[in-house]
Amino acid sequence: MKLLGAVGLLLLVAWGSGCGPSGTRTGQGAIIQPGERPDPSGVEADTWMAAEKFEQELKTSGRVMEDPALNRYVHGILCNLVPDYCSDIRVYIVQNPDFNATMAPNGALSLWTGMLLRLDNEAELAVVLGHETTHYLHRHTLQWWTDARAKLDALVFVQLAAVMGGAAAGMGRVGSAAGQVIGYLVQGRILAFSRDNERDADNTGLDMVARAGYDPREAAEIWKALITERDAGDKSRPSIFFATHPTEEDRIAYLESRAQRLVDGREGLTVGRAPYQEAIESWRGVWLRDELQRRDFKVTQVLLRRLIEQGSNLDELYFFRGELYRLRGEDGDIDEAIASYRKALDTGNSLAETHRSLGLALARRGDRAGARHSYENYLRLRPDAGDRKMIEFYISELK
Amino acid sequence: MKLRNGAGLFLSVVILCGCAAYKLVGPERHEITGVYFVEPQIAWSARQYGEKMEVWTVDGLQLEAVFFLKGLKDGEPLLYVKERGGSKHPPEFKSYMNANEVLELFVASLTYAGRGQVQVKDLRPAPFGKAPGYRFEYSYLTVDGLEMEGFALGAVLNAKLFLIMYEGSSQYYFEKYRADVEKLIASISLL
């Protein structure tokens, strides 16, 4: 494989793996200017070319959420943060249940839906966007590439690119590509992540957030929630986000400290919980279903507990809590599932699917009459259900 | 592990299993795993992946294929993915699963394997030979964004899951052998 090919792959990998390790603003010139494009003869142009190819593939991958209202909302917050770069940065909402956000050197910013599901408010979203935007403004990917080239010999590049193959070329493969890259990062075969550059993105991002009128104190809340999930989760399945970002708890401390300095003497900063929740409301169920497909039940348990504690959309949340226990199927889970479905039904606003799932759970526990009743309720509420004939068969078997 | 582009879900098994060469399966009656016979209708190239999966194709696995899942036991995954640097836990079959729960397992497995926009529809009772079974239609996007279409026929026999899945690219290949596979599944005869 030509070295140039390997270069391209690695640049894509850097994007796919998250914010990526990066250099400081020094050594790579000034902050990128609005509308700026790289010198076609320079190294930076290579990084942009690779990113543009990846961006094109992302657009046709079928994984970018096209909801105009949601995209407008998210991009609007970005524009509040960096009005001069509003048209330079393109935000893609990628349907992927993992918690991650990535920034390409050419200004293509990807937000994964697992992140949007977990964020609580507009200020938290602004924090993420500010962090990623800093990677773009400060040309961190270019620095990453320059560092990588200096540290790795050509043989390693070729071997690495051969292993990665085409895996980094399409957005559909980002998950698996990122997993492989993380493996290399963890093994120390590429680079260690730079604490300085993550801190740069944190600090500059917080400044942007505060300047735009959002409450920067929300930054620490993101990390607290994530660390709680991480500690509950399966250690053999490290989060992509944690694999590409420093996880030290002291990060919370410095985020809190800097945020406090930024808000001292200021009033009326926006947290924006209601507009954020409204913006994602119609997608929350879809994203929770995706979340359950990960089968990382302990993490999802923590997430659902947190969302339920917030007290809204309880019908939906108790339904998914029931789904979690029913799908996991460990000792005692089926009773937990039934209890959760019943709580969802008690809200008086439950989904038809709650009745079906309750029927499945009751059938598994041997409650034939209860299962039949639940299935009948499901068909009554959803007469055109795609599985109607199957449910009718269950009912006939339970009589 | 890298999943092969455009190919079906169960190709992920390839990486783990010692793979035999292709063999020709003629149109005459053919036995599947000592449990049932089918009439293949046309000649297929067949390949075995481990003990649990046999795959037939005419034009190539990435274009169209018939997957025979041969008796999955309680606790076994539809696919098995071994990642570098740690174990992964793909969704597993449980012997208590009914048709809806097998469908959920199927969707979760496709999603786990990186397929996008997985859609299923028309879950309904359908005979698996003379045994009670179920059938559903499905579609998804491959990791390259190629749209695939398929249907599956399943049954749990002696607490083991048997599935036959036919899928192909929505453009052209799915329809190309659909009628043959419909006849194939109608010809199932339990031993």
Side-chain angles (χ1 to χ4, degrees):
Chain A
M1 183 177 291
K2 290 178 184 175
L3 186 57
L4 183 60
V7 168
L9 284 171
L10 282 169
L11 291 172
L12 294 171
V13 159
W15 182 16
S17 64
C19 300
S22 48
T24 62
R25 294 160 58 183
T26 59
Q28 294 301 318
I31 291 172
I32 198 163
Q33 295 302 303
E36 183 181 334
R37 296 290 179 271
D39 174 0
S41 62
V43 173
E44 191 169 20
D46 292 341
T47 72
W48 277 55
M49 194 161 48
E52 281 165 0
K53 181 173 183 292
F54 194 28
E55 185 177 356
Q56 284 306 315
E57 291 177 351
L58 170 60
K59 285 180 185 174
T60 57
S61 67
R63 288 167 171 81
V64 175
M65 297 197 62
E66 293 176 349
D67 179 352
L70 182 62
N71 279 283
R72 249 193 328 271
Y73 174 74
V74 172
H75 197 254
I77 292 171
L78 175 84
C79 293
N80 290 343
L81 293 176
V82 280
D84 293 344
Y85 297 87
C86 192
S87 57
D88 290 341
I89 299 175
R90 298 159 307 285
V91 181
Y92 297 96
I93 300 172
V94 179
Q95 193 163 357
N96 185 316
D98 283 319
F99 186 103
N100 205 10
T102 67
M103 173 59 92
N106 67 338
L109 194 164
S110 298
L111 288 178
W112 294 12
T113 50
M115 168 175 276
L116 293 178
L117 174 64
R118 285 167 168 80
L119 297 181
D120 181 65
N121 55 56
E122 215 162 87
E124 290 187 357
L125 176 58
V127 166
V128 171
L129 293 171
H131 180 103
E132 297 302 325
T133 296
T134 303
H135 286 308
Y136 169 73
L137 296 180
H138 293 182
R139 305 175 201 261
H140 283 168
T141 304
L142 176 62
Q143 181 65 48
W144 177 88
W145 171 236
T146 306
D147 290 348
R149 204 167 51 168
K151 289 177 182 171
L152 292 173
D153 61 53
L155 180 61
V156 173
F157 271 128
V158 172
Q159 287 174 340
L160 181 60
V163 170
M164 297 301 293
M171 190 56 211
R173 295 177 231 157
V174 162
S176 58
Q180 294 184 35
V181 173
I182 289 162
Y184 279 97
L185 290 169
V186 169
Q187 294 166 41
R189 291 180 64 180
I190 301 178
L191 288 172
F193 283 94
S194 158
R195 180 184 294 237
D196 287 344
N197 286 286
E198 282 301 319
R199 191 177 280 237
D200 177 36
D202 279 343
N203 290 341
T204 307
L206 280 191
D207 293 348
M208 277 182 214
V209 165
R211 202 163 47 240
Y214 296 108
D215 192 335
R217 289 172 293 193
E218 293 300 313
E221 300 306 312
I222 302 172
W223 284 95
K224 287 176 188 172
L226 275 181
I227 287 172
T228 306
E229 282 190 24
R230 180 202 64 186
D231 291 347
D234 182 345
K235 302 299 181 288
S236 71
R237 302 179 62 178
S239 148
I240 287 173
F241 193 76
F242 278 126
T244 55
H245 291 74
T247 59
E248 295 84 1
E249 274 74 356
D250 69 0
R251 188 174 198 173
I252 291 175
Y254 81 69
L255 284 170
E256 284 180 331
S257 167
R258 186 176 185 90
Q260 193 55 51
R261 284 201 302 277
L262 288 166
V263 303
D264 279 347
R266 294 190 63 179
E267 290 181 359
L269 290 166
T270 300
V271 172
R273 183 165 197 279
Y276 182 79
Q277 294 296 326
E278 188 183 334
I280 68 163
E281 185 173 9
S282 61
W283 290 106
R284 191 187 295 105
V286 174
W287 298 343
L288 280 168
R289 199 168 289 286
D290 291 345
E291 167 71 21
L292 280 175
Q293 303 292 11
R294 299 168 69 227
R295 296 298 197 266
D296 201 349
F297 293 124
K298 290 177 182 170
V299 166
T300 307
Q301 225 170 350
V302 171
L303 170 65
L304 283 172
R305 191 181 307 136
R306 178 162 63 84
L307 295 177
I308 286 171
E309 282 170 3
Q310 291 164 358
S312 50
N313 304 99
L314 291 180
D315 52 333
E316 185 175 69
L317 295 172
Y318 278 122
F319 166 71
F320 281 109
R321 186 171 180 269
E323 293 289 83
L324 183 157
Y325 287 117
R326 182 176 64 80
L327 292 170
R328 189 169 70 175
E330 293 178 357
D331 286 348
D333 277 354
I334 205 67
D335 290 332
E336 288 285 348
I338 290 167
S340 294
Y341 294 136
R342 289 197 163 129
K343 278 189 176 177
L345 294 172
D346 285 346
T347 65
N349 190 29
S350 66
L351 310 160
E353 283 70 21
T354 308
H355 292 281
R356 178 179 61 189
S357 291
L358 178 59
L360 293 169
L362 290 170
R364 198 188 301 170
R365 204 174 62 175
D367 181 350
R368 296 170 63 88
R372 192 179 71 235
H373 180 66
S374 294
Y375 289 146
E376 287 169 347
N377 282 336
Y378 168 62
L379 292 184
R380 184 171 46 78
L381 292 168
R382 187 63 56 77
D384 58 348
D387 55 356
R388 181 176 187 96
K389 288 177 182 165
M390 201 73 236
I391 300 294
E392 287 173 339
F393 174 78
Y394 298 153
I395 292 170
S396 70
E397 291 282 294
L398 290 166
K399 280 180 179 169
Chain B
M1 188 181 85
K2 180 183 168 189
L3 299 173
R4 294 178 63 169
N5 309 339
L9 160 67
F10 299 99
L11 290 185
S12 51
V13 177
V14 171
I15 307 300
L16 285 189
C17 307
C19 302
Y22 279 105
K23 291 181 180 174
L24 184 69
V25 171
E28 63 278 1
R29 202 164 182 245
H30 184 84
E31 182 183 325
I32 303 288
T33 195
V35 174
Y36 62 92
F37 285 104
V38 293
E39 293 171 9
Q41 310 298 318
I42 58 173
W44 300 84
S45 295
R47 203 167 166 176
Q48 186 72 32
Y49 294 110
E51 292 180 3
K52 296 294 166 73
M53 183 64 70
E54 187 171 327
V55 185
W56 297 3
T57 184
V58 177
D59 300 306
L61 295 177
Q62 300 190 24
L63 300 176
E64 95 287 310
V66 187
F67 298 87
F68 295 89
L69 183 65
K70 303 187 293 188
L72 209 60
K73 294 179 192 165
D74 187 282
E76 292 182 334
L78 253 72
L79 77 165
Y80 187 90
V81 180
K82 189 176 181 183
E83 298 283 350
R84 286 188 181 84
S87 63
K88 297 280 261 182
H89 307 293
E92 297 168 348
F93 170 68
K94 300 289 183 188
S95 54
Y96 59 68
M97 286 180 167
N98 66 13
N100 279 70
E101 290 163 323
V102 168
L103 183 72
E104 289 173 340
L105 172 69
F106 181 85
V107 173
S109 299
L110 276 173
T111 306
Y112 189 94
R115 291 354 184 213
Q117 296 187 15
V118 181
Q119 303 286 333
V120 289
K121 63 179 184 181
D122 295 339
L123 175 64
R124 59 198 185 275
F128 193 101
K130 288 189 175 176
Y134 33 83
R135 174 175 169 154
F136 56 89
E137 324 294 312
Y138 64 91
S139 63
Y140 64 85
L141 296 179
T142 68
V143 291
D144 291 324
L146 180 67
E147 193 177 336
M148 301 291 281
E149 209 168 328
F151 59 79
L153 180 73
V156 176
L157 306 173
N158 296 323
K160 294 179 186 172
L161 176 63
F162 290 82
L163 276 178
I164 300 173
M165 294 148 286
Y166 170 64
E167 63 181 42
S169 63
S170 296
Q171 286 189 333
Y172 188 64
Y173 284 98
F174 173 68
E175 287 298 336
K176 189 174 180 185
Y177 302 105
R178 180 179 187 159
D180 293 313
V181 180
E182 292 283 6
K183 289 178 189 167
L184 181 156
I185 62 172
S187 73
I188 294 171
S189 164
L190 298 179
L191 285 169

